[in-house]
């Protein structure tokens, strides 16, 4: 059984963050706090909540000891959102995450990963999507704000038609469902959990591992604020089809388009702050680009 989140004030070095978890399950809203909604599934001694379960901090204390929480509920489609204040100062080699994932080797996953850096250098915001265990669809950005100075909101919106990643309400990336028309794998049937974690990756995360973690600065602490789940709860079986119908918005994808204003925001982010796009990494893929790279995403 997964460990319960620890209570109390385990983080004098960490800034408290108020978190409210709200879920939409089969059209019925239910709410709770971290005690009620989440389990600490890895290194629970490095995870603490306070304010009656409304605040959460995750700590990385060594190369092998970080922390992870997971929602108790599984779901197919919906929107998951949280605000995060990332590790300040020299965070090289640390990875803070907010993502959704199913279980098993051929899992589905939708990622926000925040790769730390040396003091004064920008974080890398890493996004990816896996379907049936296959990823290799990375897109990375540098932030246009200081992600360690207060909280910023990160949202993953997953419907049968598309996945959209948002930062502070601004869309930064869209991945559309071209599975039936073009054979592009898309997460459609495996129930996912929502996760948050912090872990060590000094072998690859900062300049491909050239910059190592300064463990004298440990523990590295990330603070989370305001997790919201507006999802269709599902544990497999027929509910997968019911959830698809609930999020199809009338049965078609034509209406699930970004507005003109959103498209302008995303173009601004991608033109000015995108630092990696798998669709133009011709050397990595030997000139054989994924079919979705030539298809409209927006």
């Amino acid at each position: 059984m997964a460990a319960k989140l620890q209570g109390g004030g385990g983080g004098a070095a960490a800034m408290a963050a108020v978190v409210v978890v709200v879920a939409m399950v089969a059209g019925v809203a239910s709410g709770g706090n971290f005690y009620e909604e989440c389990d600490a599934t890895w290194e629970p001694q490095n995870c603490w909540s306070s304010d009656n379960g409304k605040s959460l901090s995750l700590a990385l204390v060594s190369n092998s000891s970080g922390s992870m929480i997971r929602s108790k509920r599984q779901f197919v489609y919906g929107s998951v959102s949280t605000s995060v204040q990332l590790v300040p100062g020299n965070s090289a080699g640390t990875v803070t995450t907010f993502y959704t994932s199913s279980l098993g080797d051929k899992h589905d996953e939708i990622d926000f990963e925040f790769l730390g850096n040396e003091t004064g250098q920008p974080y890398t915001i890493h996004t990816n999507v896996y379907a049936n265990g296959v990823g290799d669809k990375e897109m990375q950005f540098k932030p246009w704000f200081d992600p360690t100075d207060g909280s910023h909101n990160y949202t993953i919106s997953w419907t049968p038609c598309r996945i959209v990643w948002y930062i502070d309400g601004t869309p930064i990336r869209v991945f559309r469902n071209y599975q039936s028309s073009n054979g592009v794998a898309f997460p459609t049937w495996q129930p996912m959990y929502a996760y948050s974690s912090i872990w060590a990756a000094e072998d690859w995360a900062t300049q491909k591992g050239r910059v190592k973690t300064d463990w004298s600065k440990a523990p590295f602490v990330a603070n989370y604020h305001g997790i919201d789940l507006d999802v269709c709860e599902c544990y497999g079986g027929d509910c997968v089809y019911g959830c698809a119908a609930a999020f199809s918005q009338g049965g078609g994808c034509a209406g699930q388009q970004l507005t003109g204003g959103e498209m302008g925001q995303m173009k601004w982010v991608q033109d000015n702050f995108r630092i990696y796009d798998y669709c133009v990494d011709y050397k990595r893929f030997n000139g054989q680009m994924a079919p979705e790279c030539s298809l409209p995403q927006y």
Side-chain angles (χ1 to χ4, degrees), residues 8 20 32 35 47 76 94 134 179 211 254:
V20 179
Y35 293 142
C47 170
V76 174
T94 70
V134 178
Q179 183 165 279
V211 180

Side-chain angles (χ1 to χ4, degrees), residues 272-291:
N272 293 282
F273 301 98
R274 184 170 57 187
I275 58 176
Y276 179 81
D277 180 358
Y278 76 104
C279 281
V280 295
D281 193 343
Y282 303 107
K283 181 178 180 181
R284 175 185 175 189
F285 296 103
N286 298 315
Q288 302 297 313
M289 303 311 298

